[in-house]
Amino acid sequence: MNHLFSRLLPLLLICSLLLLGACSSSSNDPASIPVGVLAPLTGSLKSAGEGMQAALAVGLPEVNRRLSLEGQNFRIRTIVKDTASDPQTARAALAALKAEGVKLVIGPISSAECAALLPDATALGMILVSPGSSATSLAIADDNLFRLVPSDDSQGAGTAALMLKKGFKAIVPIWRGDVWGDDLKKSVATAFQNSGGAVLNGVRYNPDASNYTAELDEAALQVSQALTTYGTGKVAVVMISFPTESVSLLGSAASRPALANAGWFGSDATTLTPQVTASAAASAFAAQTNFLSPIFSREDAVLPLKGIVLIDRVLREKISQKLGRSAETTAFGTWDALWLAAKAYTSSGTNADIAALKSGLVTAASGNVGLSGALVMNAAGDMKKGNYGFYGITANGTSYTWKLKAAYQYELLSTPQVVDVSEPVLKGLTPPSAEVKVGALLSLTGSQSYNGQSVKAGLLVALENINSYLTRHGYPVKFTLDIIDTTSNDEIALKGFNTLADRGVKFIVGPITSSECQKVLPSANSRGIILVSPSSNAIQLALPDDNLIRFVPSADNEAKALAKLMYEQGIRSLAIMARDDIWGTDLASRTSTEFQTLGGSVLANVSYPTGATNFANQLSTISNALKTATPSTTALLTASFDEITEIFLQASSLPSLATIKWYGGDGSSQNERLAATPAAAAYAAARGFTCPIEHVFVQHPPQPNSITKLVLRDDIREAYNGTPALYAYPAWDSLWIIVTSLLDSEWSANTTILRNMVITGSDNYIGMSNFMGLDANGDRKYGDYAFFTLTQGTAGYTWNNSATYHFHPALYLPPKITYP
C-alpha cells in the first residue's frame, strides 16, 4: 500500500501544481460581465430585432477592445433572448436573464413590452435600456427604465407640424390598441389640435385581430365626412401601427376610395422596415397617397448642422453592411446602449448595486455622444432631444424603396422647425476605371518614421472605410493607395513624386515634412497634381492658389501656443535651437516674435544643419548665452525631429542646461525614439520636456465625448499596433476629402476644379479631426494644440498630456490654455 502511494505521490503533486497554475491563470483573466439583450427576433418587430443583432455583432468586439486598452479587469458578454414581439414572452425572457446573473438589459424595443416588464425589472433589481420605447406614459423619473430615444411627445409634435405645413386641416387616426399606440395617438392629436387642426374620433384596433375590415370601413366613413367638411387635400389619416399591421392596413385601404383621397402618415415602428416595401399592394397605395412616416434620425440631411459627420457615417455603414440593408434607428440605439453598459460598469464597478449602476449609466450618457446623438437624459431617463426624418415610399422600377422627404429638427435649435429635405444624390457613379489610385509620399523610415507610419495607419483604415461605403452604395469603383517611402529625405521625396506622377495619380497624400513639401511643390504645381499633407505646417508654405493642401493649421498658431504656454509657466528668458530647414526656421522665428510680444526676451537663437549629428557648438553657444540668466525663469526651445535624442545626450555635458526647462516643437512631440532611449529620456523628463501637436480629440464644453470617434481611433491604433502620432487622424480625413472631391466633381481631371472642391468641400465634413474647414491658402482654419510632457513611469518613459491650447474662434476669443 505504501509502495503504491509512493509511486502515486509524484503524480498527485504534478496534478496539484497544474491545478494551482490553472487557478492562478484564471484569477488574472478579466471577469465576464453578462449584459442581457431582449430582442424581437420573431414576430411583428422581427426586422428591428435583426438590426439589434447586427449592432451587437459590430459593437461587442469594439467595446471589449476598448476595455482592454483601458486596462479594465472585465469584459462584456451578451446574452440574447427572443421576445417574439410579445410582452408576455418578454417577461419570461427577463426572468431567464435574471437567473443567469444579468443586472442590465438592452431592450426591449416596444413600449408594450417595456410597460409589461418594468414592474418585473423593479422587483428583480434589473435595469432596462430600451433603444426603441417612446410611449409618453413611460416617462417616469427614478424608475428602472432608460430610453435612448425621446418620448413620443416629440414625434407627435413633429408629425402634427408636418401635416399642418402641408395644408391638412383634419386628421383621422388609426392606431394600435396598446400603451404605445394610445400614447402616440394622444401626442399627435394634442399637438395638431393645439395648432388649430381638427381631430376626428378615429379607430383603435386590436393588435391580435386577423383583419381590419371593420376598422377600415369606419375610418373610410370618417374620412368621407371630413372631406365633405374640409375639402379635397385637407384630410389626412395617421396610422400608428407595427410593420406587419401596416402592410395589411395599407394594402386593404386601397379598395376604399375615400381613404385613397386622403393623405397618409405613419409612425416610427413602420418607417424604413422592409416588410412594407416588400408588399407591392401596400407600397403602391403608400406611393399613391404620398405616405410619410417619421423616425428618430441622425442622418446627415436630417441634422440641423452644416456638415456630414463622416465618423458616424462609417459606423452606421458597418452596422448596415452587417445587416445587409439600411439599419433602423433602433440598431444604432442598441450600439449606443452596449457602450453605455460598459461605461456604467467601468465607473461603478463590476459588483455595483443597482442604484450605483443606474447612477453610472446616467453619468455615462451625460458625457457621451453616440450614433443616436447626444445621449444626455432628462429626469425620466429618456433622451432629451433629437430630430425626426420623414420617409416616403417611391417606385424604383418594379420594386419600392424608402426615400427621405422631410425633417423635424429641434436638436440645437431654440424653435423646432419642419423642413423639406432629401437624401443626397449620389455623384460620381461613372468612374474612369474600376480602380482609382491615390498616391502617398510618407516618411516610413528616417527621422520622421513615427509620423510617417502613423499616417499610413490612418490611411489604411480610411481606405477600408471608403471602399466599404462605395461597395454598399453601388459604386463600380475601388480606391487603392500607391505608397512610396521618402526615407525622410527631400531628394527621395521628389523622386517618389515623379514616380507617382508618371503613374497617373491626381492626388498625393503627403509629404510629411514641410521641407519635403517645399521640395516637391514646384513639380506638383507644374504637373497639375494636388498634395494633401496631414502634417506640414511651415508658415512660408501658406500660399494661395498653389497645389498644396494642409490638414493642420499653419505653424503661426503653434508658435502662439508655445509662447503663451511658456510665458504662463513663468518663463521670461528663452534660447532657441532649430534645425535649418523651412519648418525649423519658421517656427523659431515666429515663436521668438510671439514670446517677445508677450514681454519675454530671447537670449540666443541658433540653428544646425538638417543632417547634423554633433550639436556641441550650438549647445555651447546657448550655454554661454544663459550664464547670467535665472534658471527658474529660463527655457530652451528646440525645433527638432528625431535628432532631439542626440541633442539631449550631448546636452548632459553642460551643467547650465540641466537647470532650465526645455520645450520642443511638434516635430519632437510624442517622439518614440527619445522615450525609448533611457539616458536621453531621463535628462528630458528631468527638464520637463514639453512639446505641442495639433490635437484632434479636444471636446469643447459642453460638447460631450464622441464614442464613434473613439472607435475609429482604436481602429487606427490597431492598424498602427500601438499609439500613433496624432497626424494619423487628419490623414484619415485627408483621404475621405480626396475621394469625396473626385466623386462630387464627377471625376474631373481639372486641377483647379479639384482644388476648389477640396477647399469648399472641407466645410461640409466633420471627421476625425473635427470640422475640416480650410482657408484660402488651403490650410486648416483653426485647431487646438495638445502639449505632451515626457515623464518617467513604472514601465519606462511616456508622453502625457499636460496642457491644451484652445484656438477655435467660434468658441474661444481670445485663445486660452487649460490644464488637466
Side-chain angles (χ1 to χ4, degrees):
M1 191 73 164
N2 289 337
H3 178 65
L4 176 62
F5 181 77
S6 66
R7 285 191 295 170
L8 289 175
L9 182 59
L11 292 175
L12 290 171
L13 287 171
I14 291 171
C15 290
S16 298
L17 289 171
L18 288 173
L19 286 170
L20 285 171
C23 293
S24 174
S25 175
S26 62
S27 67
N28 293 325
D29 290 341
S32 178
I33 303 299
V35 170
V37 181
L38 292 175
L41 305 181
T42 56
S44 58
L45 293 174
K46 177 184 176 183
S47 63
E50 293 168 345
M52 292 180 73
Q53 285 185 305
L56 294 172
V58 171
L60 189 60
E62 296 167 344
V63 165
N64 283 330
R65 177 180 63 183
R66 171 51 29 193
L67 292 174
S68 175
L69 288 169
E70 292 177 359
Q72 300 296 336
N73 64 350
F74 72 96
R75 303 291 182 267
I76 296 293
R77 63 183 172 91
T78 54
I79 304 174
V80 182
K81 302 290 185 183
D82 181 14
T83 69
S85 310
D86 173 66
Q88 295 309 311
T89 303
R91 291 187 67 192
L94 183 70
L97 289 174
K98 176 64 177 181
E100 296 189 53
V102 170
K103 294 180 182 178
L104 190 149
V105 177
I106 298 172
I109 286 287
S110 75
S111 292
E113 291 171 326
C114 286
L117 264 62
L118 184 53
D120 295 351
T122 303
L124 294 170
M126 302 175 76
I127 298 171
L128 305 176
V129 184
S130 175
S133 167
S134 54
T136 54
S137 60
L138 292 177
I140 305 167
D142 300 323
D143 64 356
N144 284 19
L145 173 63
F146 298 86
R147 303 188 294 178
L148 298 185
V149 290
S151 80
D152 274 333
D153 281 342
S154 302
Q155 183 180 173
T159 302
L162 180 60
M163 291 189 294
L164 290 163
K165 180 181 179 182
K166 290 189 172 294
F168 293 104
K169 296 184 178 299
I171 61 171
V172 177
I174 302 175
W175 75 98
R176 190 176 212 269
D178 66 5
V179 63
W180 168 73
D182 292 341
D183 281 5
L184 182 53
K185 179 262 180 184
K186 181 180 178 181
S187 294
V188 174
T190 300
F192 195 72
Q193 286 176 320
N194 287 344
S195 297
V199 180
L200 279 72
N201 290 333
V203 182
R204 184 180 192 265
Y205 68 86
N206 182 352
D208 297 324
S210 58
N211 66 75
Y212 308 105
T213 300
E215 289 85 351
L216 287 171
D217 287 342
E218 173 60 25
L221 178 61
Q222 293 184 33
V223 167
S224 180
Q225 293 170 346
L227 287 169
T228 300
T229 302
Y230 297 99
T232 303
K234 303 300 181 182
V235 180
V237 172
V238 180
M239 180 182 70
I240 300 171
S241 52
F242 280 4
T244 53
E245 300 154 7
S246 299
V247 171
S248 180
L249 289 165
L250 290 169
S252 300
S255 62
R256 294 164 174 81
L259 296 180
N261 286 327
W264 278 67
F265 292 82
S267 57
D268 58 338
T270 294
T271 313
L272 294 178
T273 57
Q275 292 97 318
V276 178
T277 49
S279 168
S283 295
F285 182 75
Q288 175 190 343
T289 56
N290 296 314
F291 176 68
L292 290 173
S293 195
I295 193 167
F296 177 70
S297 177
R298 289 288 295 177
E299 290 294 327
D300 297 313
V302 173
L303 299 179
L305 291 172
K306 181 187 178 183
I308 295 172
V309 186
L310 290 173
I311 50 179
D312 288 1
R313 170 190 281 182
V314 167
L315 268 299
R316 287 198 302 264
E317 288 293 331
K318 280 188 179 181
I319 295 172
S320 295
Q321 187 175 33
K322 191 74 176 178
L323 182 60
R325 65 172 190 271
S326 293
E328 298 97 331
T329 303
T330 47
F332 306 139
T334 300
W335 188 88
D336 290 339
L338 188 62
W339 274 96
L340 289 183
K343 288 179 176 292
Y345 273 113
T346 297
S347 63
S348 305
T350 55
N351 295 316
D353 60 22
I354 293 302
L357 201 54
K358 287 169 63 175
S359 176
L361 187 71
V362 172
T363 300
S366 68
N368 288 281
V369 58
L371 286 176
S372 304
L375 302 176
V376 60
M377 297 173 177
N378 60 22
D382 301 337
M383 278 188 67
K384 278 188 174 180
K385 282 191 173 185
N387 310 285
Y388 288 84
F390 284 83
Y391 288 78
I393 292 177
T394 59
N396 183 19
T398 58
S399 61
Y400 291 87
T401 186
W402 290 97
K403 291 290 185 183
L404 181 63
K405 300 289 186 179
Y408 176 67
Q409 301 171 334
Y410 74 113
E411 181 184 13
L412 306 177
L413 300 177
S414 57
T415 303
Q417 62 183 15
V418 174
V419 294
D420 293 328
V421 297
S422 60
E423 294 175 359
V425 176
L426 296 179
K427 297 180 179 179
L429 288 169
T430 55
S433 60
E435 182 177 289
V436 173
K437 187 179 297 181
V438 174
L441 289 172
L442 308 181
S443 308
L444 301 180
T445 56
S447 63
Q448 283 293 291
S449 60
Y450 174 50
N451 288 331
Q453 292 288 354
S454 298
V455 167
K456 180 182 177 182
L459 291 176
L460 292 177
V461 172
L463 184 67
E464 180 182 357
N465 299 154
I466 289 165
N467 283 330
S468 294
Y469 171 81
L470 295 174
T471 298
R472 207 180 78 78
H473 289 274
Y475 281 92
V477 66
K478 177 182 179 181
F479 278 85
T480 61
L481 284 170
D482 192 346
I483 301 174
I484 290 179
D485 179 13
T486 69
T487 71
S488 308
N489 180 281
D490 298 356
E491 293 297 336
I492 294 177
L494 180 57
K495 290 179 182 178
F497 167 82
N498 287 323
T499 298
L500 291 173
D502 291 341
R503 292 173 182 170
V505 302
K506 291 298 297 181
F507 282 97
I508 294 174
V509 179
I512 298 297
T513 70
S514 292
S515 60
E516 290 176 345
C517 287
Q518 182 185 36
K519 187 72 174 180
V520 170
L521 184 56
S523 296
N525 289 336
S526 64
R527 299 192 67 169
I529 295 172
I530 300 174
L531 306 175
V532 184
S533 177
S535 50
S536 165
N537 63 355
I539 299 167
Q540 294 179 58
L541 293 177
L543 303 170
D545 302 322
D546 65 357
N547 282 1
L548 175 62
I549 304 292
R550 302 191 295 179
F551 268 75
V552 290
S554 159
D556 179 66
N557 296 311
E558 182 180 344
K560 292 176 181 177
L562 273 166
K564 185 173 180 64
L565 180 77
M566 291 187 292
Y567 204 81
E568 277 194 10
Q569 293 186 343
I571 304 302
R572 295 296 180 267
S573 300
L574 182 66
I576 301 175
M577 178 176 174
R579 57 187 286 124
D580 189 13
D581 64 11
I582 187 173
W583 169 77
T585 55
D586 272 7
L587 184 61
S589 173
R590 189 55 58 90
T591 306
S592 173
T593 299
E594 295 292 338
F595 186 71
Q596 291 177 85
T597 299
L598 292 174
S601 61
V602 177
L603 305 180
N605 194 334
V606 301
S607 64
Y608 59 86
T610 56
T613 58
N614 187 324
F615 306 96
N617 290 337
Q618 289 84 1
L619 291 169
S620 179
T621 299
I622 290 172
S623 178
N624 290 331
L626 301 183
K627 281 183 178 179
T628 60
T630 303
S632 61
T633 59
T634 303
L636 171 57
L637 170 66
T638 64
S640 309
F641 288 168
D642 250 13
E643 67 271 11
I644 189 62
T645 301
E646 280 69 32
I647 291 173
F648 276 119
L649 291 173
Q650 295 171 33
S652 61
S653 64
L654 297 168
S656 63
L657 300 183
T659 61
I660 61 174
K661 187 169 174 59
W662 286 57
Y663 295 86
D666 62 290
S668 300
S669 190
Q670 300 176 286
N671 188 277
E672 287 184 322
R673 181 166 174 260
L674 173 59
T677 306
Y683 188 96
R687 306 309 342 127
F689 186 51
T690 299
C691 307
I693 191 169
E694 204 253 338
H695 195 10
V696 301
F697 296 117
V698 176
Q699 303 300 128
H700 301 280
Q703 182 185 11
N705 295 310
S706 168
I707 300 175
T708 53
K709 183 180 289 186
L710 181 65
V711 171
L712 286 171
R713 179 183 180 182
D714 288 347
D715 286 346
I716 295 172
R717 282 180 61 116
E718 194 168 79
Y720 180 75
N721 194 28
T723 303
L726 292 178
Y727 295 129
Y729 309 113
W732 188 92
D733 295 341
S734 298
L735 191 58
W736 268 102
I737 291 297
I738 288 170
V739 170
T740 57
S741 297
L742 287 168
L743 297 178
D744 291 345
S745 71
E746 297 290 353
W747 304 99
S748 174
N750 184 292
T751 303
T752 302
I753 290 175
L754 290 174
R755 183 184 185 278
N756 289 337
M757 281 286 181
V758 171
I759 293 177
T760 59
S762 67
D763 280 328
N764 299 323
Y765 293 97
I766 302 166
M768 287 295 289
S769 52
N770 295 323
F771 290 93
M772 299 185 198
L774 302 174
D775 62 21
N777 295 327
D779 296 341
R780 195 68 167 268
K781 289 179 184 177
Y782 44 73
D784 304 295
Y785 288 86
F787 286 92
F788 287 90
T789 300
L790 191 64
T791 57
Q792 184 175 13
T794 56
Y797 293 90
T798 59
W799 291 94
N800 294 300
N801 182 210
S802 55
T804 302
Y805 175 81
H806 301 271
F807 171 61
H808 197 299
L811 298 172
Y812 296 106
L813 284 176
K816 70 175 185 178
I817 292 176
T818 59
Y819 300 87

